[in-house]
Every structure is written in C-alpha cells, then in structure tokens.
C-alpha cells in the first residue's frame, strides 16, 4: 500500500486528514485504524483467535442453558 492509499484509508476511517506528525509505518497508525501490526500473518492469527474464542463462548453459553433448563434438573 502506497502513501496515497494510506492517506485515503485514514480519511475514510476517520473523516479527516492525518496529522503531519503521523508516520504510516508506526504502530500508532495501525492501532488508530484498528489494523493489525504485522501484516497478513497477524491478521490471520487474530481471526483464528477470534474464532476459537467465539466457539468457546458459544459452548459455555449452551452449557449454562442446559444447566438452567428444568428438563435436566434433579
């Protein structure tokens, strides 16, 4: 991604032009746009982590529902 595209992305996300002091390769720029620092590998790692967390959350929610259900109480 070249500098022009990065500026355009910043404007699209924030609705304003980036300040002069902002360096587009810095961690601050990536954090501001909510883009992962580290490229495609980091993006894939975040997606995999999110999928596992969602799966675990769904399982725990299902287990709570089963425990609270009157059918399975003794």
């Amino acid at each position: 991604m070249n500098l022009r595209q990065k500026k355009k992305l910043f404007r699209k996300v924030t609705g304003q032009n980036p300040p002069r002091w902002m360096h587009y390769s810095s961690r601050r720029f990536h954090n501001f746009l909510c883009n992962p620092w580290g490229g495609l590998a980091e993006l894939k790692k975040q997606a995999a982590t999110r999928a596992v967390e969602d799966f675990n959350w769904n399982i725990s929610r299902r287990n709570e529902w089963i425990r609270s259900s009157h059918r399975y109480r003794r």
Side-chain angles (χ1 to χ4, degrees):
M1 183 179 285
N2 62 27
L3 186 62
R4 186 175 142 274
Q5 291 168 324
K6 289 179 183 178
K7 287 182 179 180
K8 192 172 183 179
L9 176 64
F10 186 93
R11 179 154 178 83
K12 181 179 178 184
V13 170
T14 64
Q16 60 186 359
N17 288 324
R20 289 187 180 272
W21 52 263
M22 183 169 284
H23 300 284
Y24 299 101
S25 60
S26 68
R27 183 179 296 271
R28 180 185 284 178
F29 177 75
H30 287 266
N31 289 343
F32 196 78
L33 296 179
C34 299
N35 283 345
W37 175 261
L40 187 59
E42 184 66 25
L43 182 63
K44 288 182 178 179
K45 187 189 299 181
Q46 284 182 356
T49 303
R50 192 177 311 118
V52 169
E53 289 172 351
D54 288 347
F55 177 77
N56 290 339
W57 185 76
N58 287 335
I59 293 295
S60 65
R61 201 175 75 197
R62 183 182 60 96
N63 290 341
E64 288 174 8
W65 180 81
I66 289 172
R67 280 193 302 261
S68 68
S69 176
H70 294 292
R71 171 186 264 176
Y72 293 100
R73 282 192 186 169
R74 293 184 182 183

